[in-house]
Amino acid sequence: MNYKIALIRGDGIGPEVVTEAVKVMDAVGQRFGHTFDYTDVLLGGCATDAVGVSYPEGTAEACKACDAVLLGAVGGPKWDGRPAEQRPETALLAIRKDLGLYANLRPATLRPALADACPLKKETAEKGIDLMMVRELTGGIYFGKRDRYDTEDRGVEATDLMAYSEMEIERIGRRAFELARLRRKSVASVDKANVLETSRLWRSVMHRLAEEYSDVEYRDVLVDNCAMQLVKDPGQFDVVVTENMFGDILSDEASMITGSIGLLPSASIGDTAPGLYEPIHGSAPDIAGQDKANPIATILSVAMMFRYSFDLPNEAKAVEEAVDAVLAEGWHTADFDGQGDAIGTKKMGDLIAAKI
Ligand code: IPM
Ligand code: MG
């Protein structure tokens, strides 16, 4: 088969990690007889530098003409404080919204070879970590009305509105329950229903779904308690579903307990193609261009692309097994421990591609 893939290389370490992921994809193509056609799409700070805006016209259309999108990372201090249309983050949120990517899947797995990289107690790590964070991605406070205005007696005031509709909650909830059916059949829904009205609505919709998916075990977890449970006993979680901002925060926490944020992939999907695949880490401008970045999160994002966009589970497994095989040999980049000296981005990509 032939697949068309949009590449958003982005800023900072983005281009370096995407190059390694493409290397691995091409190795998969060779082994399994697929061809991948790549189209570069400009988005992020690099787009601001090139054409003056971070989300150039035609970006969404260029992505929609492809079967899937692979994104490195966007952002950096260079564009902080710029007007909204020049900020890389604005472009990232816009592309998520324009492609209808409301479901963000962020698996946090403690890979067997990396048990020692887990910063938690040995007894805790030994129980294993294999959870799927399902983050709502196109609603909530990220997309609500924002404002900033003068007050008479309190100086300037700013507001960000958090809104959720039943429709938005139900569709992400269904995704979570469906995924749980393919895993260990357990859903934890994370909210702040003791304070927020959006959370109380969230909870009532989730309870309705829990009755419908009665074969799946369900529970509510308050977000502050979830943050604590993730470091106390992460093995208790299978699928964790939550709103946009809680998911942003909890997924960084979940990544760290698996050893390094440089290891975790993500998939953003909607009801229609293309899906967007990206590492959960940022653009790491401090190490950009130095061949130090860990490409594994982006490479594992390609595995998610094979699984969720192309329905190629064997190809996905080949990528995951290649990563595990390289890790089992002790190879590591500078962001986590292994045997001997850390290797660079390119070498890590070469080693993984060679195992395919
Ligand atoms: C993420 C990132 C983004 C987010 C930023 C860069 C806007 O932190 O994908 O988790 O908050 O969604
Ligand atoms: Mg984040």
Side-chain angles (χ1 to χ4, degrees), residues 89 92-93 96 106 135 137 142 248 252 278 280:
E89 295 80 4
L92 188 58
L93 300 194
R96 287 171 177 171
R106 299 188 160 188
R135 169 188 176 193
L137 202 61
Y142 272 59
D248 178 46
D252 269 31
E278 58 176 317
I280 83 152

Side-chain angles (χ1 to χ4, degrees), residues 98-272:
D98 287 348
L99 296 181
L101 306 172
Y102 62 84
N104 182 219
L105 314 184
R106 299 188 160 188
T109 318
L110 183 59
R111 311 201 85 81
L114 291 183
D116 289 344
C118 174
L120 304 180
K121 281 204 192 109
K122 213 171 160 54
E123 316 82 270
T124 312
E126 268 162 7
K127 283 201 235 160
I129 303 171
D130 179 12
L131 67 90
M132 177 69 87
M133 188 82 67
V134 179
R135 169 188 176 193
E136 200 292 323
L137 202 61
T138 54
I141 200 165
Y142 272 59
F143 291 92
K145 192 168 172 297
R146 303 182 202 301
D147 207 359
R148 186 191 273 244
Y149 44 85
D150 289 322
T151 64
E152 254 167 39
D153 51 351
R154 288 165 285 120
V156 177
E157 193 167 279
T159 63
D160 295 277
L161 183 72
M162 174 142 151
Y164 267 108
S165 65
E166 283 182 292
M167 179 276 281
E168 290 173 301
I169 301 167
E170 184 174 333
R171 66 183 180 180
I172 191 73
R174 284 195 187 281
R175 288 278 181 168
F177 280 99
E178 296 288 343
L179 273 166
R181 278 186 170 161
L182 303 173
R183 296 172 47 100
R184 301 193 305 277
K185 290 198 167 189
S186 155
V187 168
S189 166
V190 175
D191 64 34
K192 189 70 186 172
N194 51 352
V195 178
L196 301 178
E197 197 53 33
T198 42
S199 283
R200 290 193 267 266
L201 179 65
W202 179 279
R203 200 174 267 208
S204 70
V205 174
M206 289 295 165
H207 284 193
R208 219 158 61 208
L209 291 174
E211 272 178 39
E212 190 182 322
Y213 292 84
S214 55
D215 54 318
V216 176
E217 183 192 282
Y218 174 87
R219 69 194 159 120
D220 304 303
V221 183
L222 290 171
V223 63
D224 45 351
N225 183 33
C226 182
M228 183 182 80
Q229 296 297 332
L230 274 174
V231 289
K232 188 171 169 237
D233 178 21
Q236 69 183 284
F237 294 113
D238 178 17
V239 172
V240 177
V241 62
T242 191
E243 67 87 34
N244 204 343
M245 187 165 65
F246 296 161
D248 178 46
I249 299 168
L250 293 175
S251 61
D252 269 31
E253 187 187 3
S255 75
M256 198 53 226
I257 58 175
T258 68
S260 169
I261 195 166
L263 296 166
L264 292 202
S266 83
S268 302
I269 49 190
D271 292 324
T272 53

